[in-house]
Amino acid sequence: MTQKTALITGITGQDGAYLARSLVDKGYRVVGAVRRSSTLNLPRLVSLEVAQEVELKTLDMQDFTSIVRLIEEVGPDEIYNLGGQSSVQASFQQPLYTGETSGMGCLRLMEAVKLVLPEARLFEASSSEIFGLKGSGVVNESQDFHPRSPYGVAKLFAYWAVVNYREAYGLHVSNGIMFNHESPLRGMEFVTRKITATLAQIASGGQQTLMLGNLDNARDWGFAGDYVEAMWAMLQQPEADNYVVATGKTHTVKQFVELAAKAVGLDIEFEGEGLEAKGIDRKTGRQMIGVSKSFYRPSEPDPMVGDASKAKEKLNWEPSVDFEALVTMMAQSDLERAGKEQAWY
Ligand code: GDP
């Protein structure tokens, strides 16, 4: 059997690293597209010991010609579109950049594939953020959409572009509607990693206070290492489709904090509600956690939980890491890093 080639945009991100590791283990030649910048951001690939096993090429998702050239040069069998601005919070500050990279970026990629290599299979990292206000309760692939952030709006554009390129041109391109997925490699701009990294530093003697936004918000949080397997499985199907990828369980930010605190050995008691909520160290009485309005968002999706039964049935995919194991994994990894002179990514 000839070796397959996979092209991953956004290979330096959390999912890019897990996916690269998994595809190399499956025997793929992996080519990663990275943004041109003065320093290469490789610590995630290094930490999964895959940096030496992938080829890196520069790519600007805003430059159509460079996408066409890269696809011609690499000739991928499979393309995983994980690139683009991925933070909901940041999308309120950078709505246009988010639209260009996370929305239009997908369309440019598909248009290039259509012109140059229409037999290639594509995965688009879609998001539960597309459901937004329509996502109350348990949601599956037939749910309506009403995004509540510039990020969600960009991802919904990409979602429909994928469906259209499938119907109009027969491209094998699938939307993975990914609910939140985390890991020790998650960026600090996301609440989970912000919590585990800061609490680990506090547990190691740091004097800072962990300042958060709304503690009552809930998410369906899974493990990124599981979610990249669903991405791969979608591209092995005879037909492309849309799939929800989720755990089916939600927890609040506060529950995440409580579990993470326990995992790093802190004994925290919460008092007050909303903006007045405080997390106090039971041993010393010091306030370790506070709430700041600056971390609240202009709009939030409804609380929702993903129904991944289609992925289970068609892809034979199920999450293997539950909430407690995920929080513990992240907290322990950050505890090991705390105090070490190591890159914090
Ligand atoms: P998202 O679901 O992709 O937006 O992932 P995030 O990890 O950025 O946010 C998850 C939830 O945590 C959202 O409802 C946020 O409003 C909430 N949240 C509360 N405090 C914070 C914070 O300090 N930072 C971030 N990023 N989110 C926070």
Side-chain angles (χ1 to χ4, degrees), residues 88 180 189-191 194 212-214 217 219 253 297 300:
V88 173
N180 295 49
E189 64 275 29
F190 295 91
V191 75
K194 178 176 169 182
L212 294 166
N214 195 333
N217 288 348
R219 287 290 184 275
V253 172
R297 299 186 182 166
E300 285 268 359

Side-chain angles (χ1 to χ4, degrees), residues 324-339:
E324 187 166 352
L326 174 67
V327 179
T328 309
M329 178 202 308
M330 293 177 69
Q332 276 170 359
S333 158
D334 277 324
L335 210 47
E336 278 163 33
R337 279 188 206 144

Side-chain angles (χ1 to χ4, degrees), residues 12-32:
T12 57
Q14 166 190 267
D15 292 7
Y18 280 103
L19 182 62
R21 175 74 269 164
S22 169
L23 293 177
V24 165
D25 291 344
K26 289 180 171 67
Y28 280 70
R29 168 188 172 226
V30 175
V31 181

Side-chain angles (χ1 to χ4, degrees), residues 304-321:
M304 69 180 109
V305 54
D307 170 9
S309 41
K310 179 174 171 183
K312 183 171 182 204
E313 188 192 319
K314 298 255 168 78
L315 308 176
N316 196 21
W317 179 86
E318 267 185 296
S320 72
V321 176

Side-chain angles (χ1 to χ4, degrees), residues 198-220:
T198 314
L199 289 181
Q201 285 172 319
I202 294 174
S204 309
Q207 288 304 305
Q208 62 269 62
T209 306
L210 169 61
M211 295 305 291
L212 294 166
N214 195 333
L215 299 178
D216 300 322
N217 288 348
R219 287 290 184 275
D220 179 331

